[in-house]
Amino acid sequence: MLLLAVPLLLLLLITWQVLADGPLLDLDASLSDALVRPDRASELLSDLGNAQVALPVLAVALAVTAWQLRATGVDRWWLPPAAGATAMVLVPVLVVPLKAWTDRPGTPAVPPATGYYPSGHTATAVVAYGAATLLLLPLLGSPAVRRALVALCGLLILGVSYGLVRRGYHWPLDVAGSWCLGAALLVGLALVSRSSRRTSAGTPSRRSGPS
């Protein structure tokens, strides 16, 4: 539960600073000024957080996980992919009200508007790529392949985050808030998946019979 409490507490702290125009926003603005240099590379990196890019990756991971777990006779084979899909659905459910509540203006690099906190692109990337990684890791036998998958996931999330800040689409705190939100959703997914594996390990499969 500590793993779940830490990102939630950090999310509350960042959200409070945004709502109260706290001292973290001065640091946020200074960091943004130092990092914003709009270019084509940053725009391409930020596009990796588009739903059109990230969701198909998660969909493939959901399908592979469901097929593999069902093929190996796991009783509750549907639970991990269902939890992964639910985590993704919760992203707009949580992000949209937060954007409306905080009503945060964008950086000087974007047209005047509000609703930039938290970053929807960052949350989409964290949950889509993170959930795909969590679901696929138990199916991979090679430690090297597992490490490579985790590294790729981290690079994709960091790439999207950097691109959004570098392009000026979001303040750094917008991105950090979405890291916390996404981390909480991924911890929930990991807990559900672990519970499913424990239940399956302790329950004889209908397909394979008593062990």
Side-chain angles (χ1 to χ4, degrees):
M1 295 305 292
L2 180 61
L3 289 176
L4 185 60
V6 170
L8 288 177
L9 287 174
L10 288 174
L11 177 62
L12 287 174
L13 172 63
I14 296 171
T15 304
W16 166 58
Q17 287 291 291
V18 170
L19 287 170
D21 197 18
L24 275 183
L25 266 64
D26 293 334
L27 178 62
D28 192 35
S30 299
L31 185 57
S32 178
D33 289 342
L35 291 176
V36 172
R37 298 292 185 277
D39 55 22
R40 181 59 177 164
S42 61
E43 188 168 349
L44 290 174
L45 285 172
S46 66
D47 285 345
L48 294 174
N50 285 342
Q52 298 92 326
V53 177
L55 292 188
V57 174
L58 177 58
V60 170
L62 294 175
V64 169
T65 302
W67 178 82
Q68 186 66 26
L69 293 179
R70 190 171 187 274
T72 54
V74 174
D75 283 339
R76 300 170 70 187
W77 59 268
W78 49 268
L79 187 54
T86 300
M88 193 68 249
V89 169
L90 286 174
V91 168
V93 170
L94 297 173
V95 167
V96 171
L98 274 173
K99 283 179 176 291
W101 182 35
T102 55
D103 199 32
R104 190 183 192 192
T107 73
V110 294
T114 58
Y116 281 88
Y117 176 88
S119 164
H121 278 66
T122 305
T124 297
V126 170
V127 175
Y129 299 134
T133 299
L134 287 176
L135 291 170
L136 293 176
L137 278 178
L139 308 180
L140 301 174
S142 169
V145 174
R146 289 199 294 268
R147 287 193 294 269
L149 179 61
V150 172
L152 177 60
C153 173
L155 287 173
L156 286 171
I157 293 171
L158 289 176
V160 171
S161 303
Y162 174 78
L164 290 169
V165 174
R166 183 76 171 178
R167 179 60 180 77
Y169 285 142
H170 278 287
W171 303 98
L173 279 183
D174 301 343
V175 170
S178 289
W179 284 349
C180 297
L181 177 62
L185 291 173
L186 291 179
V187 169
L189 170 60
L191 292 174
V192 171
S193 298
R194 183 179 303 175
S195 172
S196 174
R197 289 197 297 271
R198 286 176 177 174
T199 301
S200 298
T203 304
S205 170
R206 295 190 184 98
R207 294 173 179 263
S208 59
S211 57

